[in-house]
Amino acid sequence: MPDNLKMMALMESFKRIYGPVPVGVRWICNVGMNLVNQTPVVKKQLLRQALGERGGLPEAAKVHLA
């Protein structure tokens, strides 16, 4: 799967995870996000991907200047 599709899937997962879900599922998600936040290498890679520095951005996310 191309990197841009992986990032889109990750963002969609965040949207679904932090939407209306049972308390237990939300707790598990929060624990996972806290682990990512406390792991600088993983956090840096996710941020680089989200900023388009790694793997490119989907066409819909690119800014086209006239």
Side-chain angles (χ1 to χ4, degrees):
M1 179 183 288
D3 284 339
N4 60 345
L5 292 179
K6 289 178 187 176
M7 182 51 65
M8 288 170 59
L10 179 63
M11 293 296 109
E12 181 65 25
S13 298
F14 286 157
K15 184 174 113 179
R16 290 175 187 235
I17 287 170
Y18 288 101
V21 293
V23 173
V25 173
R26 184 167 302 220
W27 180 84
I28 291 169
C29 294
N30 286 335
V31 168
M33 290 302 291
N34 285 332
L35 286 172
V36 168
N37 197 38
Q38 294 172 6
T39 312
V41 174
V42 174
K43 184 177 178 180
K44 182 177 180 179
Q45 290 302 313
L46 285 173
L47 287 171
R48 288 184 65 215
Q49 180 72 33
L51 293 171
E53 295 176 0
R54 183 176 161 271
L57 289 172
E59 195 60 35
K62 293 179 183 177
V63 175
H64 297 285
L65 301 174

Coordinates of all heavy atoms in Angstrom, one line a residue:
M1 N 0.9 -1.2 0.0 CA 0.0 0.0 0.0 C 0.9 1.2 0.0 O 1.8 1.3 0.8 CB -0.9 0.0 1.2 CG -1.8 1.2 1.4 SD -2.8 1.2 2.9 CE -4.0 0.0 2.6
P2 N 0.7 2.2 -0.9 CA 1.5 3.4 -0.9 C 1.4 4.2 0.4 O 0.3 4.1 1.1 CB 0.9 4.2 -2.1 CG 0.1 3.2 -2.9 CD -0.3 2.1 -2.0
D3 N 2.4 4.9 0.7 CA 2.5 5.7 2.0 C 1.3 6.7 2.1 O 0.8 6.8 3.2 CB 3.8 6.5 2.1 CG 4.9 5.6 2.4 OD1 4.7 4.5 3.0 OD2 6.1 6.0 2.2
N4 N 0.9 7.3 1.0 CA -0.2 8.3 1.1 C -1.5 7.6 1.5 O -2.3 8.2 2.3 CB -0.3 9.2 -0.1 CG -0.6 8.4 -1.4 OD1 -0.5 7.2 -1.4 ND2 -1.0 9.1 -2.4
L5 N -1.7 6.4 1.0 CA -2.9 5.7 1.4 C -2.9 5.2 2.8 O -3.9 5.2 3.5 CB -3.2 4.5 0.5 CG -3.5 4.9 -1.0 CD1 -3.7 3.6 -1.8 CD2 -4.8 5.7 -1.0
K6 N -1.7 4.9 3.3 CA -1.5 4.5 4.7 C -1.9 5.6 5.6 O -2.5 5.5 6.6 CB -0.1 4.0 5.0 CG 0.3 2.7 4.3 CD 1.7 2.4 4.6 CE 2.2 1.1 3.9 NZ 3.6 0.8 4.1
M7 N -1.4 6.8 5.2 CA -1.6 8.0 6.1 C -3.1 8.3 6.1 O -3.7 8.7 7.1 CB -0.8 9.2 5.6 CG -1.0 10.5 6.4 SD -0.8 10.3 8.2 CE 0.9 9.9 8.4
M8 N -3.8 8.2 4.9 CA -5.2 8.5 4.8 C -6.0 7.5 5.7 O -6.9 7.9 6.4 CB -5.7 8.4 3.4 CG -5.2 9.6 2.6 SD -5.5 9.5 0.8 CE -7.2 9.3 0.7
A9 N -5.5 6.2 5.7 CA -6.2 5.2 6.5 C -6.0 5.5 8.0 O -6.9 5.3 8.8 CB -5.6 3.8 6.1
L10 N -4.8 6.0 8.3 CA -4.5 6.3 9.7 C -5.4 7.4 10.2 O -5.9 7.4 11.3 CB -3.0 6.7 9.9 CG -2.5 7.1 11.3 CD1 -2.7 5.9 12.3 CD2 -1.1 7.5 11.2
M11 N -5.5 8.5 9.4 CA -6.3 9.6 9.8 C -7.8 9.2 9.9 O -8.5 9.7 10.8 CB -6.2 10.8 8.7 CG -4.8 11.4 8.7 SD -4.4 12.2 10.3 CE -3.2 11.2 10.9
E12 N -8.3 8.4 9.0 CA -9.6 7.9 9.1 C -9.8 7.1 10.3 O -10.9 7.2 11.0 CB -10.0 7.0 7.8 CG -11.4 6.5 7.8 CD -12.4 7.6 7.7 OE1 -12.2 8.7 7.2 OE2 -13.6 7.3 8.1
S13 N -8.8 6.3 10.7 CA -8.9 5.5 12.0 C -9.0 6.4 13.2 O -9.8 6.2 14.1 CB -7.6 4.6 12.1 OG -7.6 3.7 11.1
F14 N -8.2 7.5 13.2 CA -8.3 8.5 14.3 C -9.7 9.1 14.4 O -10.3 9.2 15.4 CB -7.3 9.6 14.1 CG -5.9 9.3 14.4 CD1 -4.9 10.0 13.8 CD2 -5.5 8.2 15.2 CE1 -3.5 9.7 14.1 CE2 -4.2 7.9 15.4 CZ -3.2 8.6 14.9
K15 N -10.3 9.4 13.2 CA -11.6 10.0 13.2 C -12.6 9.0 13.8 O -13.5 9.4 14.6 CB -12.0 10.3 11.7 CG -13.3 11.0 11.6 CD -13.5 11.4 10.1 CE -14.7 10.6 9.6 NZ -15.0 10.9 8.2
R16 N -12.5 7.7 13.4 CA -13.5 6.7 13.9 C -13.2 6.4 15.4 O -14.1 6.3 16.1 CB -13.4 5.5 13.1 CG -13.9 5.6 11.7 CD -13.7 4.4 10.8 NE -14.1 4.7 9.5 CZ -14.9 3.9 8.8 NH1 -15.5 2.9 9.4 NH2 -15.2 4.2 7.6
I17 N -11.9 6.3 15.7 CA -11.6 6.0 17.1 C -12.1 7.0 18.1 O -12.6 6.7 19.1 CB -10.1 5.8 17.3 CG1 -9.7 4.5 16.6 CG2 -9.6 5.8 18.7 CD1 -8.2 4.3 16.5
Y18 N -11.9 8.3 17.7 CA -12.3 9.4 18.7 C -13.7 9.9 18.4 O -14.1 10.9 19.0 CB -11.2 10.5 18.6 CG -9.9 10.0 19.2 CD1 -8.9 9.6 18.5 CD2 -9.8 9.9 20.6 CE1 -7.7 9.1 19.1 CE2 -8.7 9.5 21.2 CZ -7.6 9.1 20.4 OH -6.5 8.6 21.0
G19 N -14.4 9.2 17.6 CA -15.9 9.5 17.5 C -16.6 8.9 18.6 O -16.0 8.5 19.6
P20 N -17.9 8.7 18.5 CA -18.7 8.1 19.6 C -18.4 6.6 19.7 O -18.7 5.9 18.8 CB -20.1 8.4 19.2 CG -20.1 8.8 17.8 CD -18.7 9.2 17.4
V21 N -17.6 6.3 20.7 CA -17.2 4.9 21.0 C -17.4 4.5 22.4 O -17.4 5.4 23.3 CB -15.8 4.6 20.5 CG1 -15.6 4.7 19.0 CG2 -14.8 5.5 21.2
P22 N -17.5 3.2 22.8 CA -17.6 2.8 24.2 C -16.3 3.3 25.0 O -15.2 3.5 24.4 CB -17.6 1.3 24.1 CG -18.1 1.0 22.8 CD -17.6 2.1 21.9
V23 N -16.5 3.5 26.3 CA -15.5 4.0 27.1 C -14.2 3.2 27.1 O -13.1 3.7 27.1 CB -16.0 4.2 28.6 CG1 -14.9 4.6 29.5 CG2 -17.1 5.2 28.6
G24 N -14.4 1.9 27.1 CA -13.2 1.0 27.1 C -12.4 1.1 25.9 O -11.1 1.1 26.0
V25 N -13.0 1.2 24.7 CA -12.3 1.4 23.5 C -11.5 2.8 23.5 O -10.4 2.8 23.1 CB -13.2 1.3 22.3 CG1 -12.5 1.7 21.0 CG2 -13.9 0.0 22.2
R26 N -12.2 3.8 24.0 CA -11.6 5.1 24.1 C -10.3 5.1 25.0 O -9.3 5.6 24.7 CB -12.6 6.1 24.6 CG -11.9 7.5 24.6 CD -13.0 8.6 24.7 NE -14.0 8.4 23.7 CZ -14.5 9.4 23.0 NH1 -14.3 10.6 23.4 NH2 -15.4 9.2 22.1
W27 N -10.4 4.3 26.1 CA -9.3 4.2 27.0 C -8.1 3.6 26.3 O -7.0 4.0 26.4 CB -9.7 3.4 28.3 CG -8.6 3.3 29.2 CD1 -8.3 4.2 30.2 CD2 -7.7 2.2 29.4 NE1 -7.2 3.7 30.9 CE2 -6.9 2.5 30.4 CE3 -7.6 1.0 28.7 CZ2 -5.9 1.6 30.8 CZ3 -6.6 0.1 29.1 CH2 -5.7 0.4 30.1
I28 N -8.4 2.5 25.6 CA -7.3 1.8 24.9 C -6.7 2.7 23.9 O -5.4 2.7 23.7 CB -7.9 0.5 24.2 CG1 -8.2 -0.5 25.3 CG2 -6.9 -0.1 23.2 CD1 -9.0 -1.7 24.8
C29 N -7.5 3.5 23.1 CA -6.9 4.4 22.2 C -6.1 5.5 22.8 O -5.0 5.8 22.3 CB -8.1 5.1 21.4 SG -9.0 3.9 20.4
N30 N -6.5 6.0 24.0 CA -5.7 7.0 24.7 C -4.4 6.4 25.2 O -3.4 7.1 25.1 CB -6.5 7.5 25.8 CG -7.6 8.5 25.4 OD1 -7.6 9.1 24.3 ND2 -8.7 8.6 26.2
V31 N -4.4 5.2 25.6 CA -3.2 4.5 26.1 C -2.2 4.4 24.9 O -1.0 4.8 25.0 CB -3.4 3.2 26.7 CG1 -2.2 2.4 26.9 CG2 -4.2 3.3 28.0
G32 N -2.7 4.0 23.7 CA -1.9 3.9 22.5 C -1.3 5.2 22.1 O -0.2 5.3 21.7
M33 N -2.2 6.3 22.1 CA -1.7 7.6 21.7 C -0.6 8.1 22.7 O 0.3 8.7 22.3 CB -2.8 8.6 21.6 CG -3.7 8.3 20.4 SD -2.9 8.3 18.8 CE -2.5 10.1 18.7
N34 N -0.8 7.8 24.0 CA 0.2 8.2 25.0 C 1.5 7.5 24.7 O 2.6 8.1 24.9 CB -0.4 8.0 26.4 CG -1.4 9.0 26.8 OD1 -1.4 10.1 26.3 ND2 -2.3 8.6 27.7
L35 N 1.4 6.2 24.4 CA 2.7 5.5 24.1 C 3.4 6.1 22.9 O 4.6 6.2 22.9 CB 2.4 4.0 23.8 CG 2.0 3.2 25.0 CD1 1.5 1.8 24.6 CD2 3.2 3.1 26.0
V36 N 2.6 6.4 21.8 CA 3.2 7.1 20.7 C 3.9 8.4 21.1 O 5.0 8.7 20.7 CB 2.2 7.3 19.5 CG1 2.7 8.2 18.5 CG2 1.8 6.0 18.9
N37 N 3.2 9.2 21.9 CA 3.6 10.5 22.3 C 4.9 10.4 23.1 O 5.8 11.2 23.1 CB 2.6 11.2 23.1 CG 2.8 12.7 23.3 OD1 3.3 13.3 22.3 ND2 2.5 13.2 24.4
Q38 N 5.1 9.3 23.9 CA 6.3 9.0 24.7 C 7.4 8.3 24.0 O 8.5 8.1 24.5 CB 5.9 8.2 25.9 CG 4.9 9.0 26.9 CD 4.4 8.1 28.0 OE1 4.8 6.9 28.1 NE2 3.5 8.6 28.7
T39 N 7.2 8.0 22.7 CA 8.2 7.3 21.9 C 8.6 8.3 20.8 O 8.0 8.3 19.7 CB 7.6 6.0 21.3 OG1 7.0 5.3 22.3 CG2 8.7 5.2 20.7
P40 N 9.7 9.1 21.0 CA 10.1 10.1 20.1 C 10.3 9.6 18.6 O 10.0 10.3 17.7 CB 11.4 10.7 20.7 CG 11.3 10.3 22.1 CD 10.5 9.0 22.2
V41 N 10.9 8.4 18.4 CA 11.2 8.0 17.1 C 9.9 7.7 16.3 O 9.7 8.1 15.2 CB 12.0 6.7 17.1 CG1 12.2 6.1 15.8 CG2 13.4 6.9 17.8
V42 N 8.9 7.1 17.0 CA 7.6 6.8 16.3 C 6.9 8.1 16.1 O 6.3 8.3 15.0 CB 6.8 5.8 17.2 CG1 5.4 5.6 16.6 CG2 7.5 4.5 17.3
K43 N 6.9 9.0 17.1 CA 6.2 10.2 16.9 C 6.7 11.1 15.8 O 6.0 11.6 15.0 CB 6.3 11.0 18.3 CG 5.5 12.3 18.3 CD 5.6 12.9 19.7 CE 4.9 14.3 19.7 NZ 5.0 14.9 21.1
K44 N 8.1 11.1 15.7 CA 8.7 11.9 14.6 C 8.3 11.3 13.2 O 8.0 12.1 12.3 CB 10.2 11.8 14.8 CG 11.0 12.7 13.8 CD 12.4 12.7 14.0 CE 13.2 13.5 13.0 NZ 14.6 13.5 13.3
Q45 N 8.3 10.0 13.1 CA 8.0 9.4 11.8 C 6.5 9.7 11.4 O 6.2 10.0 10.3 CB 8.2 7.9 11.8 CG 9.7 7.5 11.9 CD 10.4 8.1 10.7 OE1 10.0 8.0 9.5 NE2 11.6 8.7 11.0
L46 N 5.6 9.6 12.4 CA 4.2 9.9 12.1 C 4.0 11.4 11.7 O 3.3 11.7 10.8 CB 3.3 9.6 13.3 CG 3.1 8.1 13.6 CD1 2.3 7.9 14.9 CD2 2.3 7.5 12.4
L47 N 4.7 12.3 12.4 CA 4.6 13.7 12.1 C 5.2 14.0 10.7 O 4.6 14.7 9.9 CB 5.4 14.5 13.1 CG 4.7 14.7 14.5 CD1 5.6 15.3 15.5 CD2 3.4 15.4 14.3
R48 N 6.4 13.3 10.4 CA 6.9 13.5 9.0 C 6.0 13.1 8.0 O 5.8 13.7 6.9 CB 8.3 12.8 8.9 CG 9.4 13.5 9.7 CD 10.7 12.8 9.6 NE 11.1 12.9 8.2 CZ 11.8 12.0 7.5 NH1 12.2 10.9 8.1 NH2 12.1 12.2 6.2
Q49 N 5.3 11.9 8.2 CA 4.4 11.4 7.2 C 3.2 12.4 7.1 O 2.8 12.7 6.0 CB 3.9 10.0 7.7 CG 2.9 9.4 6.7 CD 3.5 8.9 5.4 OE1 4.7 8.5 5.4 NE2 2.8 9.0 4.4
A50 N 2.7 12.8 8.2 CA 1.5 13.7 8.2 C 1.8 15.0 7.5 O 1.0 15.6 6.9 CB 1.0 14.0 9.6
L51 N 3.1 15.5 7.6 CA 3.4 16.8 7.0 C 3.8 16.6 5.5 O 4.2 17.6 4.9 CB 4.6 17.4 7.8 CG 4.2 17.9 9.2 CD1 5.5 18.3 10.0 CD2 3.3 19.1 9.1
G52 N 3.9 15.4 5.1 CA 4.2 15.2 3.7 C 5.7 15.1 3.4 O 6.1 15.2 2.2
E53 N 6.5 15.1 4.4 CA 7.9 15.1 4.3 C 8.4 13.7 3.9 O 9.5 13.5 3.5 CB 8.6 15.5 5.5 CG 8.4 16.9 5.9 CD 9.0 17.3 7.2 OE1 9.7 16.5 7.8 OE2 8.9 18.5 7.6
R54 N 7.6 12.7 4.1 CA 7.9 11.3 3.8 C 6.7 10.7 3.1 O 5.6 10.7 3.6 CB 8.1 10.6 5.2 CG 8.6 9.2 5.1 CD 8.8 8.7 6.5 NE 8.8 7.3 6.5 CZ 7.7 6.5 6.7 NH1 6.6 7.1 7.0 NH2 7.8 5.2 6.7
G55 N 7.0 10.2 1.9 CA 5.9 9.4 1.2 C 5.0 10.3 0.4 O 4.2 9.8 -0.4
G56 N 5.1 11.6 0.5 CA 4.3 12.5 -0.3 C 2.9 12.6 0.2 O 2.4 11.9 1.1
L57 N 2.2 13.6 -0.3 CA 0.8 13.9 0.1 C -0.2 13.4 -0.9 O 0.2 13.4 -2.1 CB 0.6 15.4 0.3 CG 1.3 16.1 1.5 CD1 1.1 17.6 1.4 CD2 0.7 15.6 2.8
P58 N -1.4 13.1 -0.5 CA -2.4 12.7 -1.5 C -2.7 14.0 -2.4 O -2.5 15.1 -1.9 CB -3.6 12.3 -0.7 CG -3.2 12.4 0.7 CD -1.8 12.9 0.8
E59 N -3.1 13.8 -3.6 CA -3.3 15.0 -4.5 C -4.3 16.0 -3.8 O -4.2 17.2 -4.0 CB -3.9 14.5 -5.8 CG -3.9 15.5 -6.9 CD -2.5 16.0 -7.2 OE1 -1.5 15.3 -7.2 OE2 -2.4 17.2 -7.5
A60 N -5.3 15.5 -3.1 CA -6.4 16.3 -2.5 C -5.8 17.2 -1.4 O -6.3 18.3 -1.1 CB -7.5 15.5 -2.0
A61 N -4.6 16.8 -0.8 CA -4.1 17.6 0.2 C -3.0 18.6 -0.2 O -2.6 19.4 0.6 CB -3.4 16.6 1.3
K62 N -2.7 18.6 -1.5 CA -1.6 19.5 -2.0 C -2.2 20.9 -2.3 O -3.4 21.0 -2.7 CB -1.0 18.9 -3.3 CG -0.2 17.7 -3.0 CD 0.3 17.1 -4.3 CE 1.1 15.8 -4.1 NZ 1.6 15.2 -5.3
V63 N -1.5 21.9 -2.1 CA -1.9 23.3 -2.4 C -1.4 23.6 -3.8 O -0.2 23.4 -4.1 CB -1.3 24.3 -1.4 CG1 -1.6 25.7 -1.8 CG2 -1.7 23.9 0.0
H64 N -2.3 24.0 -4.6 CA -2.0 24.4 -6.0 C -2.1 25.9 -6.2 O -3.2 26.4 -6.0 CB -2.9 23.7 -7.0 CG -2.8 22.2 -6.9 ND1 -1.7 21.5 -7.5 CD2 -3.6 21.2 -6.4 CE1 -1.9 20.2 -7.3 NE2 -3.0 20.0 -6.6
L65 N -1.0 26.5 -6.4 CA -1.0 28.0 -6.5 C -1.1 28.3 -8.0 O -0.5 27.7 -8.9 CB 0.3 28.6 -5.9 CG 0.5 28.3 -4.5 CD1 1.9 28.8 -4.0 CD2 -0.6 28.9 -3.6
A66 N -1.9 29.3 -8.3 CA -2.1 29.7 -9.7 C -1.0 30.7 -10.2 O -0.3 31.3 -9.5 CB -3.5 30.4 -9.8

